[in-house]
Amino acid sequence: MEECEHCRHKERSDKEYRDLINRLSRIEGQIRGIKGMVEKGAYCPDILIQVSAVNAALNSFNKVLLANHIKSCVTTDIRAGKEETVDELVTVLQKLMK
């Protein structure tokens, strides 16, 4: 795969890839479940509880992805002298904590 200078790609291990995809598939299923609840006229508090569960699952996904990013990309870039990666990480963290 040819990369431009502005594009960044992450090579993931098979295990990391499968874990992330499995998490996203579960979240996707939860979203479909919520859509079905709305379509069937489910009671609002029941829907809100399911939405809360999806938010928790997305937060968990973010934690795993962020940890993997710090352990691989960030540490590799710092070792290579790419200090701008720290600024990028700070920006990402600020967006996550809105």
Side-chain angles (χ1 to χ4, degrees), residues 62-73:
N62 276 348
K63 288 176 191 175
V64 168
L65 188 60
L66 181 60
N68 290 343
H69 177 61
I70 292 169
K71 290 176 183 177
S72 61
C73 301

Side-chain angles (χ1 to χ4, degrees), residues 30-94:
Q30 288 176 293
I31 296 292
R32 281 194 305 271
I34 292 169
K35 181 181 177 189
M37 291 175 77
V38 171
E39 290 171 344
K40 293 175 185 170
Y43 189 51
C44 294
D46 295 337
I47 296 170
L48 290 168
I49 289 168
Q50 291 306 310
V51 170
S52 178
V54 169
N55 284 331
L58 283 169
N59 284 334
S60 178
F61 177 86
N62 276 348
K63 288 176 191 175
V64 168
L65 188 60
L66 181 60
N68 290 343
H69 177 61
I70 292 169
K71 290 176 183 177
S72 61
C73 301
V74 174
T75 56
T76 299
D77 282 0
I78 289 171
R79 287 184 187 126
K82 297 179 183 175
E83 296 293 325
E84 65 273 9
T85 300
V86 174
D87 294 332
E88 178 188 65
L89 178 60
V90 169
T91 300
V92 168
L93 289 171
Q94 288 171 339

